[in-house]
Amino acid sequence: MSVPRTQSPTPARTFTQRFSATRRGARLARLLTEYQLTGWGHPHGTEAHDTVILVVAELAASAVLHGRVPGRDLALFLSHDENRGVVRIEVTDTHSAQPTQRTPDTDDNGGRGLLLVDALAADWGVRDRLGPGKTVWAECATAPRT
C-alpha cells in the first residue's frame, strides 16, 4: 500500500543565510533580500518589496546593535508563501536579551525599530531558539491592501 504524497500547489519558497553581526552584515542581508524578493515577483518599488526591505533592515540592524555577541553571526530566514500572501522574515542572534517595544521621547535618537516593525508587519513576535539567543520574526503581506 503506497502512502499518498501531499504537496502544496504552490510551495513556500525560502532563503537562508548567515551574516557577520556587523553593519556590513546587516547591509548585505538587506541587499540579498532585495534580490530574493525580485526573484519572487516583488520588484523594487512595489509595496510588498519596500515593506519587507524596511522590516529586514530594522531587524538586522537591531540584531547587530543589541544582539551582537563577539564571534557569533546573525541568521536571516525568508519564506514566501503565495497561498497565504505573506513573506515571513526571521532574524536570529545569539544574545539572550529579549527585545522590548518602547515609546521613545521625541528627542531620542533611537528606540523606534520595533514601532516601525509593528506598523509595517501584519504580525511579529519573538521566540527562543535552540541554543543561546532568540529569533525575532515578522510576516508582511504581499497582496495589495484593500
Side-chain angles (χ1 to χ4, degrees):
M1 180 172 162
S2 66
V3 177
R5 292 183 182 187
T6 58
Q7 185 175 1
S8 172
T10 53
R13 295 180 245 171
T14 62
F15 172 82
T16 304
Q17 183 69 50
R18 296 177 68 89
F19 299 94
S20 63
T22 62
R23 290 174 57 192
R24 179 177 277 174
R27 180 175 183 270
L28 185 56
R30 181 182 54 79
L31 291 171
L32 287 176
T33 298
E34 288 182 7
Y35 178 79
Q36 195 63 53
L37 287 171
T38 300
W40 288 342
H42 302 287
H44 178 75
T46 61
E47 183 177 355
H49 178 278
D50 295 349
T51 299
V52 170
I53 293 306
L54 284 171
V55 171
V56 167
E58 285 301 325
L59 295 182
S62 180
V64 168
L65 291 172
H66 307 293
R68 184 175 185 275
V69 174
R72 302 236 174 119
D73 294 337
L74 66 93
L76 171 68
F77 171 79
L78 304 171
S79 68
H80 181 225
D81 187 333
E82 291 183 31
N83 290 334
R84 291 183 53 224
V86 298
V87 170
R88 183 176 177 95
I89 303 153
E90 296 182 6
V91 176
T92 301
D93 65 56
T94 56
H95 198 280
S96 61
Q98 296 290 309
T100 56
Q101 185 176 345
R102 62 186 187 96
T103 306
D105 291 332
T106 55
D107 58 344
D108 286 347
N109 288 336
R112 293 172 180 79
L114 288 179
L115 288 173
L116 182 61
V117 170
D118 189 55
L120 293 173
D123 196 12
W124 71 275
V126 181
R127 72 170 198 275
D128 290 331
R129 65 181 289 259
L130 185 60
K134 76 279 188 186
T135 297
V136 182
W137 60 269
E139 291 187 341
C140 298
T142 57
R145 295 179 194 160
T146 56

